[in-house]
Amino acid sequence: MEFLGGKFLQVFIALAVFAALIGLIMLIVDRAPKSVKDKVTIVGFLAPAAILMLVGLVYPAVQTSFLAFTNASGQPNGLDNFVWMFTQPEALVTLRNTVIWTILVPLLSTGFGLAYAVFIDKARGERALKALVFMPMAISFVGAGIIWKLVYDYRGPSIEQTGVINAVRVALGMDPKQFLLDAPENTIFLIIVMVWIQTGFAMVILSAAIKGVPMELVEAARLDGANPWQQFRNVTIPGIRGALVVVLTTITIATLKVFDIVRTMTAGNYETSVVANEMYTQAFRAGEPGRGAALALVLFLLVLPIVVYNARVLRQQREIR
Amino acid sequence: MKNRKYLLPIAATGALALALTGCSSGGGGGEATNVDCAPFESYGKHEGKTVSVYSTIVDIEATNLEKAFAPFEQCTGATIKYEGSKEFETQIGVRAKAGNAPDIAIFPQPGLMADQAKAGNLKPAPKAVSDLVDKNWSADWKKYGTVDGVFYTAPMLANVKGYVWYAPKTFKDKGWAVPKTWDEMLTLSTKIAGEGTMKPWCAGFESGEATGWPGTDWVEDVVLRAQGPEVYDQWVSHQIPFNDPKIVDAMNKTGEILLNDKFVNGGFGDVRSILSTGFAQAGQPVLDGQCAMHHQANFQAANWPEGTVVAPDGDVWAFMTPPIDAGKGQAITGGGEMVGAYKDTPEVQAFQAYLASADFANNRVKLGGVISANKGLDPANAQTELDKQSIALLQDPKTVFRFDGSDLMPGAVGSNSFWKGIVAWINGTPAQQVADSVESSWPKG
Amino acid sequence: MTVMPAPDEAANQSGTGTRPAKGRPVSPEDSAPIMRRVKTKLTSRWATAAAVIIATIWTVPTFGLLVSSFRPAAKQVGPRSDGWWNFFTDWDFTFKNYVDVTAAAGSQSANLSQYFANSVAIVIPVTVFVLVLASMAAYIFAWGNFKGREAAFIFVFALQIIPLQMALIPLLSLFTQVLQIPPGSYAQLWIAHTMFGLPLGIFLLHNFISEIPGEVIEAAKVDGAGHTTIFWRIILPLSVPALASLAIFQFLWVWNDLLVALVFSGGTADVAPITQRLAEISGTRGSRDYLNPAAAFVSIIAPLAVFFGLQRYFVRGLLAGGLKG
């Protein structure tokens, strides 16, 4: 195991350097003259994250924006990429699917995650119960792909089924179904996979938030004669409103960006493609980075309403405070 | 507090790592001890130099590849740093663009290589390599490494597509004969379907994001055999459109088998089940007597379950997809890897030369599982009957060899719309409509 | 401790008269007896039934994979394969898949442990970096006072949408050409992952930190505590549940990442994480894809261990009182 030494020495050095940097920032902030202390604090606390994000995200985003107006060999081509995007035969289907994904996934994941978090709160074996729903998050995409293949798998009617659902269908006397091939419901079957994964995220965050709701308030409501539903509706929900917005928003953005599920399960065939999958395919498979970048810009536009909504929520929060 | 928080995962993973390995030691690699370094003198000495190599080849195949590199390392003193990834096709562009290209990339698709050459990333092959290729390969192969008149990449290993796998015992028991022409093959299919014990064909095109590629091989085989190499070349280089009637005809001809519910898909279901069957498993009904024939390249040999005997009198064997027009002679499709260099330092060029040499071909083929079209390859080094037969086909000067067409087409077609077109076609879209849509995706200019 | 009130005092000063919180993470046992009794009354039978149903639906698919990972190749793939549930009638059980995954000769290393160690070496610093930097930034976005704070925060939030794939090429050239960080080193992976993790980290923590009662912070200020003291002594201890959630997810994302690793790790056993090795385990043309279920379960162990390990920080009552409704 001699290789472990070298690897963890690197880790140790990295952590030490990082601790030293943070220590230095804290020292500077602490020692700053009173007159500029607030400013120094803001700069000191924000600068490391800001620099990293400017370099790692803003700069590439700006580059991508330019890329969207170039062709495969990097020559400017005006709006050609956007024209292509909206004139290709499946453009509308892709857009429609993306909208269905971004509506259903956040609502269903958050709904199931919240329900589960509430139901098992303080239950015996809560940790183990949570782990069951958390597990899909922890499993790799490769694993998730195989898992759902084992669920949706299809064999001809006269042959023994290997997929769970088709086995049940046959046992009930129905014909087996090609779940991933039959449009338009196949999009729903792909969405189920994403919901299955994201529910764990919603559940963990919301469970933490529920634990932040003062027990006394719930108890008081109970003493006032509120039934469990009313307690939940009038005490718990308002108490975790912030977390709910965060979860819904995060899952929405993750859904807009997700392409692995579509890519590995149908490769965007059978009218199941979404914008993020087209982006990946064009930029990396088809060698058309310009088209990929143009699609990335469309994704950015799609997320704008969510950004605006969050800005409003933020302002409301501030006003209350 | 911080420390405590991270102690647990560290401890847990550390313990697991220990448990997983039961204690590991350095080991691995360099077992070649007595290498005759005489043939390597021409490559010079490159003590302390490193050549990084990037390719699609992983796992066992990668281990064998590294073993074949070992004599070069030992004799020249250079170190070969090998990296294989299944995501090579998407990653090589990323790395090259970011200025972090490997010294040598082994391309499975000439089309991808041409993109890199046109972008000015690849270095032209040195004269020594070019001479070796003239000596060891046919002119066709050299053409695949040439872009706009400049020769960039020497071929490395090869594969032969278009084999039809069958179980000799089944054929013998049922009294079926291996077909000599396409028409005989169709007659046999009808006969098998009529007997009703099994379907004549099984197929599987599912391959994750590359779903559909085994179907492109089918169509290419038919285009080459029905229309001849000239039309094939025109089709691949877009001198005739993708939706040319000749191509649509070839698709329809392929469809006589693939779109016929009586002929497919033994062991799995109907025509559409081709799309949900993984290509690596699709041949197995042949072994189980659930289907008679399966169309797949020579590398299918590795996809049979452990212990399957691949031989003319074994569990499975293969015949070449027969000619459609007997007058057009024996024509086969196949694939192979192209070795391209992003640097022109002496050690990189020496390694390029080694990979193009007969020594490398012999060293690698000896380890089994692969073949090469290198004429200097001694067929006796092939590890299986099938490999011997494939090498003979590749080395036979009368064989008309054409590279897998989808690998030669631009990425937007060959790695995207052609695959998707095949999927739509199997799923019920008419051939004409599919060909039209692939044609419209062909990059302009 | 002389200049600032202990957080529990501060909580009391907030005047809601609630259970005092402690500045240290408390184990759930501490917050126990009263609540446990409350709970038994609140949990209805229907809720339990619904929870069981959800848990079952969520677990059955994964369970199928687990069962498959113990089945021989021929039962898993191809025409002789059958549904994983047949395992319970034919009992054809094998450890071979796990042996092959963990010990069989791979392309670049004899076994999996090197890659496992790499994953650990990549994920731990990244998680620490993201947690510390994101909480610092989130604190300023929540409690700092400067012009354009909201706009800046919204901007950071919007950065989440930037697709990773689009950032890879500019970053790789920056790292290797400008910053001269050697390719195929942990450093590239640490920095890249930290960059990509920050927007979501800041967004998650901001929500939590901004809900800490203002009175707590005001009280500390009155007592002369500076920003650094407030941040380390009040904000961080009070945010433990949020930090634990973020730690879990950050760990998970980096652990399961393949894309970033493909670009920055160089692919050798020196640096490449376990995902990169497992992605290749089925061979160049997928001839050994029956190993994938076992591979998935080898890889899931670490995230699950972290999940169980950090759960004790999901503590009730740290923020007693003061939550706005």
PDB file of all heavy atoms in Angstrom, chain C residues 151-171:
ATOM      1  N   ALA C 151     -28.027  41.618  -6.773  1.00  0.00           N
ATOM      2  CA  ALA C 151     -27.725  41.354  -8.178  1.00  0.00           C
ATOM      3  C   ALA C 151     -26.573  40.365  -8.290  1.00  0.00           C
ATOM      4  O   ALA C 151     -26.624  39.412  -9.084  1.00  0.00           O
ATOM      5  CB  ALA C 151     -27.380  42.655  -8.894  1.00  0.00           C
ATOM      6  N   ALA C 152     -25.558  40.574  -7.462  1.00  0.00           N
ATOM      7  CA  ALA C 152     -24.398  39.683  -7.513  1.00  0.00           C
ATOM      8  C   ALA C 152     -24.808  38.257  -7.155  1.00  0.00           C
ATOM      9  O   ALA C 152     -24.386  37.289  -7.792  1.00  0.00           O
ATOM     10  CB  ALA C 152     -23.313  40.176  -6.568  1.00  0.00           C
ATOM     11  N   PHE C 153     -25.657  38.143  -6.143  1.00  0.00           N
ATOM     12  CA  PHE C 153     -26.084  36.805  -5.734  1.00  0.00           C
ATOM     13  C   PHE C 153     -26.885  36.120  -6.830  1.00  0.00           C
ATOM     14  O   PHE C 153     -26.682  34.952  -7.127  1.00  0.00           O
ATOM     15  CB  PHE C 153     -26.898  36.886  -4.440  1.00  0.00           C
ATOM     16  CG  PHE C 153     -27.471  35.558  -4.046  1.00  0.00           C
ATOM     17  CD1 PHE C 153     -26.657  34.554  -3.575  1.00  0.00           C
ATOM     18  CD2 PHE C 153     -28.833  35.316  -4.170  1.00  0.00           C
ATOM     19  CE1 PHE C 153     -27.172  33.324  -3.223  1.00  0.00           C
ATOM     20  CE2 PHE C 153     -29.361  34.089  -3.828  1.00  0.00           C
ATOM     21  CZ  PHE C 153     -28.534  33.086  -3.356  1.00  0.00           C
ATOM     22  N   ILE C 154     -27.800  36.875  -7.426  1.00  0.00           N
ATOM     23  CA  ILE C 154     -28.604  36.301  -8.511  1.00  0.00           C
ATOM     24  C   ILE C 154     -27.701  35.860  -9.666  1.00  0.00           C
ATOM     25  O   ILE C 154     -27.902  34.828 -10.286  1.00  0.00           O
ATOM     26  CB  ILE C 154     -29.655  37.329  -9.000  1.00  0.00           C
ATOM     27  CG1 ILE C 154     -30.702  37.546  -7.915  1.00  0.00           C
ATOM     28  CG2 ILE C 154     -30.306  36.880 -10.281  1.00  0.00           C
ATOM     29  CD1 ILE C 154     -31.549  36.329  -7.608  1.00  0.00           C
ATOM     30  N   PHE C 155     -26.666  36.659  -9.901  1.00  0.00           N
ATOM     31  CA  PHE C 155     -25.730  36.315 -10.969  1.00  0.00           C
ATOM     32  C   PHE C 155     -25.033  34.986 -10.658  1.00  0.00           C
ATOM     33  O   PHE C 155     -24.953  34.090 -11.505  1.00  0.00           O
ATOM     34  CB  PHE C 155     -24.698  37.439 -11.128  1.00  0.00           C
ATOM     35  CG  PHE C 155     -23.714  37.206 -12.230  1.00  0.00           C
ATOM     36  CD1 PHE C 155     -24.100  37.323 -13.554  1.00  0.00           C
ATOM     37  CD2 PHE C 155     -22.403  36.859 -11.943  1.00  0.00           C
ATOM     38  CE1 PHE C 155     -23.208  37.094 -14.573  1.00  0.00           C
ATOM     39  CE2 PHE C 155     -21.498  36.621 -12.961  1.00  0.00           C
ATOM     40  CZ  PHE C 155     -21.893  36.749 -14.276  1.00  0.00           C
ATOM     41  N   VAL C 156     -24.562  34.855  -9.423  1.00  0.00           N
ATOM     42  CA  VAL C 156     -23.901  33.613  -9.012  1.00  0.00           C
ATOM     43  C   VAL C 156     -24.865  32.438  -9.163  1.00  0.00           C
ATOM     44  O   VAL C 156     -24.512  31.369  -9.675  1.00  0.00           O
ATOM     45  CB  VAL C 156     -23.415  33.711  -7.552  1.00  0.00           C
ATOM     46  CG1 VAL C 156     -23.007  32.348  -7.016  1.00  0.00           C
ATOM     47  CG2 VAL C 156     -22.265  34.686  -7.447  1.00  0.00           C
ATOM     48  N   PHE C 157     -26.094  32.667  -8.756  1.00  0.00           N
ATOM     49  CA  PHE C 157     -27.108  31.633  -8.842  1.00  0.00           C
ATOM     50  C   PHE C 157     -27.308  31.194 -10.299  1.00  0.00           C
ATOM     51  O   PHE C 157     -27.386  30.014 -10.609  1.00  0.00           O
ATOM     52  CB  PHE C 157     -28.394  32.186  -8.216  1.00  0.00           C
ATOM     53  CG  PHE C 157     -29.641  31.527  -8.685  1.00  0.00           C
ATOM     54  CD1 PHE C 157     -29.988  30.277  -8.211  1.00  0.00           C
ATOM     55  CD2 PHE C 157     -30.470  32.153  -9.602  1.00  0.00           C
ATOM     56  CE1 PHE C 157     -31.135  29.665  -8.640  1.00  0.00           C
ATOM     57  CE2 PHE C 157     -31.616  31.541 -10.036  1.00  0.00           C
ATOM     58  CZ  PHE C 157     -31.952  30.299  -9.555  1.00  0.00           C
ATOM     59  N   ALA C 158     -27.352  32.198 -11.183  1.00  0.00           N
ATOM     60  CA  ALA C 158     -27.594  31.888 -12.594  1.00  0.00           C
ATOM     61  C   ALA C 158     -26.438  31.120 -13.218  1.00  0.00           C
ATOM     62  O   ALA C 158     -26.611  30.428 -14.218  1.00  0.00           O
ATOM     63  CB  ALA C 158     -27.847  33.175 -13.376  1.00  0.00           C
ATOM     64  N   LEU C 159     -25.261  31.213 -12.605  1.00  0.00           N
ATOM     65  CA  LEU C 159     -24.109  30.493 -13.151  1.00  0.00           C
ATOM     66  C   LEU C 159     -24.323  28.983 -13.159  1.00  0.00           C
ATOM     67  O   LEU C 159     -23.663  28.255 -13.880  1.00  0.00           O
ATOM     68  CB  LEU C 159     -22.845  30.807 -12.337  1.00  0.00           C
ATOM     69  CG  LEU C 159     -22.250  32.194 -12.514  1.00  0.00           C
ATOM     70  CD1 LEU C 159     -21.021  32.347 -11.646  1.00  0.00           C
ATOM     71  CD2 LEU C 159     -21.886  32.436 -13.968  1.00  0.00           C
ATOM     72  N   GLN C 160     -25.262  28.523 -12.328  1.00  0.00           N
ATOM     73  CA  GLN C 160     -25.532  27.083 -12.275  1.00  0.00           C
ATOM     74  C   GLN C 160     -25.907  26.501 -13.624  1.00  0.00           C
ATOM     75  O   GLN C 160     -25.707  25.323 -13.871  1.00  0.00           O
ATOM     76  CB  GLN C 160     -26.691  26.802 -11.321  1.00  0.00           C
ATOM     77  CG  GLN C 160     -26.345  26.911  -9.866  1.00  0.00           C
ATOM     78  CD  GLN C 160     -27.542  26.517  -9.030  1.00  0.00           C
ATOM     79  OE1 GLN C 160     -27.900  25.382  -8.971  1.00  0.00           O
ATOM     80  NE2 GLN C 160     -28.173  27.507  -8.411  1.00  0.00           N
ATOM     81  N   ILE C 161     -26.490  27.304 -14.478  1.00  0.00           N
ATOM     82  CA  ILE C 161     -26.996  26.757 -15.728  1.00  0.00           C
ATOM     83  C   ILE C 161     -25.886  26.495 -16.741  1.00  0.00           C
ATOM     84  O   ILE C 161     -26.061  25.768 -17.693  1.00  0.00           O
ATOM     85  CB  ILE C 161     -28.077  27.684 -16.344  1.00  0.00           C
ATOM     86  CG1 ILE C 161     -28.807  26.959 -17.478  1.00  0.00           C
ATOM     87  CG2 ILE C 161     -27.465  28.963 -16.853  1.00  0.00           C
ATOM     88  CD1 ILE C 161     -29.525  25.704 -17.081  1.00  0.00           C
ATOM     89  N   ILE C 162     -24.716  27.081 -16.507  1.00  0.00           N
ATOM     90  CA  ILE C 162     -23.650  26.906 -17.498  1.00  0.00           C
ATOM     91  C   ILE C 162     -23.288  25.425 -17.598  1.00  0.00           C
ATOM     92  O   ILE C 162     -22.895  24.811 -16.625  1.00  0.00           O
ATOM     93  CB  ILE C 162     -22.415  27.730 -17.118  1.00  0.00           C
ATOM     94  CG1 ILE C 162     -22.768  29.208 -17.220  1.00  0.00           C
ATOM     95  CG2 ILE C 162     -21.247  27.393 -18.028  1.00  0.00           C
ATOM     96  CD1 ILE C 162     -21.735  30.113 -16.654  1.00  0.00           C
ATOM     97  N   PRO C 163     -23.470  24.845 -18.771  1.00  0.00           N
ATOM     98  CA  PRO C 163     -23.181  23.419 -18.889  1.00  0.00           C
ATOM     99  C   PRO C 163     -21.684  23.181 -18.755  1.00  0.00           C
ATOM    100  O   PRO C 163     -20.884  23.849 -19.393  1.00  0.00           O
ATOM    101  CB  PRO C 163     -23.651  23.073 -20.305  1.00  0.00           C
ATOM    102  CG  PRO C 163     -24.373  24.269 -20.819  1.00  0.00           C
ATOM    103  CD  PRO C 163     -23.898  25.438 -20.035  1.00  0.00           C
ATOM    104  N   LEU C 164     -21.383  22.240 -17.903  1.00  0.00           N
ATOM    105  CA  LEU C 164     -19.993  21.885 -17.646  1.00  0.00           C
ATOM    106  C   LEU C 164     -19.201  21.649 -18.918  1.00  0.00           C
ATOM    107  O   LEU C 164     -18.083  22.095 -19.065  1.00  0.00           O
ATOM    108  CB  LEU C 164     -20.025  20.567 -16.869  1.00  0.00           C
ATOM    109  CG  LEU C 164     -19.439  20.574 -15.504  1.00  0.00           C
ATOM    110  CD1 LEU C 164     -20.076  19.499 -14.686  1.00  0.00           C
ATOM    111  CD2 LEU C 164     -17.987  20.323 -15.634  1.00  0.00           C
ATOM    112  N   GLN C 165     -19.848  20.934 -19.856  1.00  0.00           N
ATOM    113  CA  GLN C 165     -19.138  20.532 -21.067  1.00  0.00           C
ATOM    114  C   GLN C 165     -18.565  21.736 -21.797  1.00  0.00           C
ATOM    115  O   GLN C 165     -17.524  21.664 -22.419  1.00  0.00           O
ATOM    116  CB  GLN C 165     -20.076  19.795 -22.031  1.00  0.00           C
ATOM    117  CG  GLN C 165     -20.819  18.650 -21.425  1.00  0.00           C
ATOM    118  CD  GLN C 165     -22.092  19.106 -20.749  1.00  0.00           C
ATOM    119  OE1 GLN C 165     -22.310  20.290 -20.550  1.00  0.00           O
ATOM    120  NE2 GLN C 165     -22.933  18.173 -20.364  1.00  0.00           N
ATOM    121  N   MET C 166     -19.317  22.851 -21.718  1.00  0.00           N
ATOM    122  CA  MET C 166     -18.890  24.028 -22.454  1.00  0.00           C
ATOM    123  C   MET C 166     -17.679  24.691 -21.801  1.00  0.00           C
ATOM    124  O   MET C 166     -16.986  25.482 -22.427  1.00  0.00           O
ATOM    125  CB  MET C 166     -20.043  25.028 -22.550  1.00  0.00           C
ATOM    126  CG  MET C 166     -21.177  24.539 -23.402  1.00  0.00           C
ATOM    127  SD  MET C 166     -20.620  24.337 -25.094  1.00  0.00           S
ATOM    128  CE  MET C 166     -21.893  23.316 -25.770  1.00  0.00           C
ATOM    129  N   ALA C 167     -17.464  24.393 -20.520  1.00  0.00           N
ATOM    130  CA  ALA C 167     -16.374  25.060 -19.809  1.00  0.00           C
ATOM    131  C   ALA C 167     -15.070  24.275 -19.880  1.00  0.00           C
ATOM    132  O   ALA C 167     -14.025  24.782 -19.500  1.00  0.00           O
ATOM    133  CB  ALA C 167     -16.771  25.267 -18.349  1.00  0.00           C
ATOM    134  N   LEU C 168     -15.146  23.054 -20.380  1.00  0.00           N
ATOM    135  CA  LEU C 168     -13.979  22.185 -20.261  1.00  0.00           C
ATOM    136  C   LEU C 168     -12.788  22.641 -21.113  1.00  0.00           C
ATOM    137  O   LEU C 168     -11.660  22.676 -20.630  1.00  0.00           O
ATOM    138  CB  LEU C 168     -14.364  20.745 -20.633  1.00  0.00           C
ATOM    139  CG  LEU C 168     -15.390  20.122 -19.688  1.00  0.00           C
ATOM    140  CD1 LEU C 168     -15.792  18.743 -20.163  1.00  0.00           C
ATOM    141  CD2 LEU C 168     -14.848  20.048 -18.274  1.00  0.00           C
ATOM    142  N   ILE C 169     -13.063  22.988 -22.367  1.00  0.00           N
ATOM    143  CA  ILE C 169     -11.949  23.336 -23.254  1.00  0.00           C
ATOM    144  C   ILE C 169     -11.227  24.598 -22.789  1.00  0.00           C
ATOM    145  O   ILE C 169     -10.005  24.579 -22.630  1.00  0.00           O
ATOM    146  CB  ILE C 169     -12.435  23.464 -24.715  1.00  0.00           C
ATOM    147  CG1 ILE C 169     -12.920  22.094 -25.205  1.00  0.00           C
ATOM    148  CG2 ILE C 169     -11.327  23.977 -25.617  1.00  0.00           C
ATOM    149  CD1 ILE C 169     -13.524  22.110 -26.588  1.00  0.00           C
ATOM    150  N   PRO C 170     -11.970  25.712 -22.524  1.00  0.00           N
ATOM    151  CA  PRO C 170     -11.265  26.888 -22.030  1.00  0.00           C
ATOM    152  C   PRO C 170     -10.471  26.617 -20.751  1.00  0.00           C
ATOM    153  O   PRO C 170      -9.340  27.074 -20.619  1.00  0.00           O
ATOM    154  CB  PRO C 170     -12.388  27.889 -21.746  1.00  0.00           C
ATOM    155  CG  PRO C 170     -13.544  27.419 -22.529  1.00  0.00           C
ATOM    156  CD  PRO C 170     -13.396  25.963 -22.716  1.00  0.00           C
ATOM    157  N   LEU C 171     -11.045  25.814 -19.854  1.00  0.00           N
ATOM    158  CA  LEU C 171     -10.368  25.556 -18.585  1.00  0.00           C
ATOM    159  C   LEU C 171      -9.099  24.744 -18.788  1.00  0.00           C
ATOM    160  O   LEU C 171      -8.060  25.052 -18.195  1.00  0.00           O
ATOM    161  CB  LEU C 171     -11.295  24.775 -17.657  1.00  0.00           C
ATOM    162  CG  LEU C 171     -12.006  25.562 -16.582  1.00  0.00           C
ATOM    163  CD1 LEU C 171     -12.558  24.615 -15.548  1.00  0.00           C
ATOM    164  CD2 LEU C 171     -11.062  26.557 -15.939  1.00  0.00           C
TER     165      LEU C 171
END
